[in-house]
Amino acid sequence: MKKIALLLVAGTGLIYACSRVPITGRNQLNLIPEATMQSMALQEYQSFLSQNKAVSPGSSKDAAMVQRVGGRIAKAVTTYMTQHGMGNEVSSYKWEFNLVNDKQVNAWCMPGGKVVVYTGLLPVTQNETALACVMGHEIAHAIARHGNERMSQGLVAQGIQIAGAVALNKNPQAQNIFMQAVGVGGPLGLMAYGRQNELEADHLGVIFMAMAGYNPQESISFWGRMAQASGGQKPPELLSTHPSDEKRIAQLQKLMPEAMKYYNPSSK
């Protein structure tokens, strides 16, 4: 795999970059420049909003809540990254938080900080703190650059030859891989991310929500409700790309002592 990746880099002009995920410190391989990921994200995000009208926060308490929660988590993310010498990794983020009318139990965050929450999620979150759990989790995917990691794997696996990084924007196959890689289009918990990415996003997410002034213990209750909402329809973990609800909740319980150290209710 590494040899193939190196050949891909040499043949396409993409950047070979080994980086570390914030908080967990895991090494990951990102072949695509972050600027390219954000450019593709902006293009797809604008296309999505042209077909899915955002709910106005001026006329909807729910939309206002999405913007409020998003703004607090974004501030927490920026604070954490700056304090740990990684502020440059989010300096180009232009955060946006939108609620759209859709029955899907879904939310996502694209590279560059473009966040969308579907109205179908709100009956499951039930409260602002649980919404912060979901938004923290989705934002964590972007901060951990899971989309870049997944897209890099997809390009290598399919042997896509690109003449240059900019050409990714014009390659339909690469665009499809991008949409799958950043988890847009499927219901929450059934995204393209694998088990490792999901559990990692849970880890980062509870830290970010805690720093934003939301009690991370609510994440355990929320994922319990998600398990009930699925009605037992999820496949066994062995046959799924995602961790089982039981495993996810067990990890969150183990993470609570760490997350509670960051919890500051006064920051809300």
Side-chain angles (χ1 to χ4, degrees):
M1 176 68 76
K2 187 173 182 180
K3 288 182 179 180
I4 295 175
L6 289 172
L7 287 174
L8 178 68
V9 174
T12 66
L14 298 179
I15 295 177
Y16 173 85
C18 184
S19 58
R20 287 183 179 274
V21 177
I23 299 178
T24 68
R26 179 177 66 86
N27 287 320
Q28 64 178 171
L29 178 66
N30 293 329
L31 299 177
I32 305 158
E34 183 63 14
T36 300
M37 292 293 294
Q38 292 189 22
S39 175
M40 295 185 73
L42 180 59
Q43 178 179 316
E44 296 296 343
Y45 173 73
Q46 291 174 336
S47 175
F48 175 86
L49 288 183
S50 70
Q51 301 173 49
N52 301 269
K53 186 177 180 180
V55 180
S56 170
S59 60
S60 167
K61 292 182 178 179
D62 288 338
M65 177 174 63
V66 167
Q67 291 205 344
R68 179 171 62 251
V69 173
R72 289 173 179 167
I73 294 178
K75 181 180 179 180
V77 167
T78 301
T79 297
Y80 181 92
M81 298 294 279
T82 301
Q83 290 176 345
H84 291 80
M86 296 179 285
N88 63 308
E89 294 186 20
V90 293
S91 61
S92 61
Y93 272 48
K94 294 179 174 58
W95 297 96
E96 290 187 30
F97 310 96
N98 281 302
L99 178 69
V100 299
N101 274 312
D102 194 301
K103 294 181 180 180
Q104 291 186 66
V105 180
N106 195 13
W108 42 261
C109 175
M110 285 187 173
K114 308 305 184 188
V115 181
V116 166
V117 174
Y118 292 45
T119 53
L121 175 66
L122 301 182
V124 184
T125 54
Q126 297 182 5
N127 59 67
E128 184 169 329
T129 302
L131 177 62
C133 164
V134 177
M135 294 181 71
H137 173 93
E138 296 303 325
I139 287 171
H141 277 306
I143 299 303
R145 298 188 178 182
H146 288 159
N148 194 324
E149 186 176 15
R150 296 285 293 174
M151 186 171 181
S152 298
Q153 293 167 353
L155 291 173
V156 172
Q158 296 194 30
I160 296 178
Q161 297 297 312
I162 306 297
V166 177
L168 286 171
N169 284 294
K170 301 178 181 180
N171 185 303
Q173 192 175 2
Q175 288 178 323
N176 184 53
I177 293 174
F178 171 82
M179 293 297 284
Q180 294 178 1
V182 299
V184 175
L188 187 68
L190 296 174
M191 304 299 192
Y193 302 115
R195 300 176 197 172
Q196 183 181 51
N197 289 165
E198 284 295 314
L199 292 174
E200 196 165 55
D202 284 347
H203 190 168
L204 273 64
V206 293
I207 300 300
F208 295 151
M209 70 178 291
M211 289 184 67
Y214 295 103
N215 190 337
Q217 293 176 326
E218 177 64 28
S219 63
I220 298 173
S221 299
F222 167 74
W223 285 110
R225 292 197 295 276
M226 279 294 293
Q228 292 178 344
S230 69
Q233 298 302 307
K234 293 182 180 180
E237 185 178 5
L238 183 64
L239 303 177
S240 172
T241 60
H242 286 69
S244 65
D245 294 318
E246 293 79 9
K247 186 172 183 178
R248 166 169 262 150
I249 291 171
Q251 178 188 259
L252 286 168
Q253 290 172 332
K254 291 180 180 179
L255 288 172
M256 279 307 109
E258 177 187 0
M260 290 302 290
K261 293 178 181 179
Y262 290 89
Y263 180 39
N264 180 13
S266 64
S267 63
K268 288 183 66 175

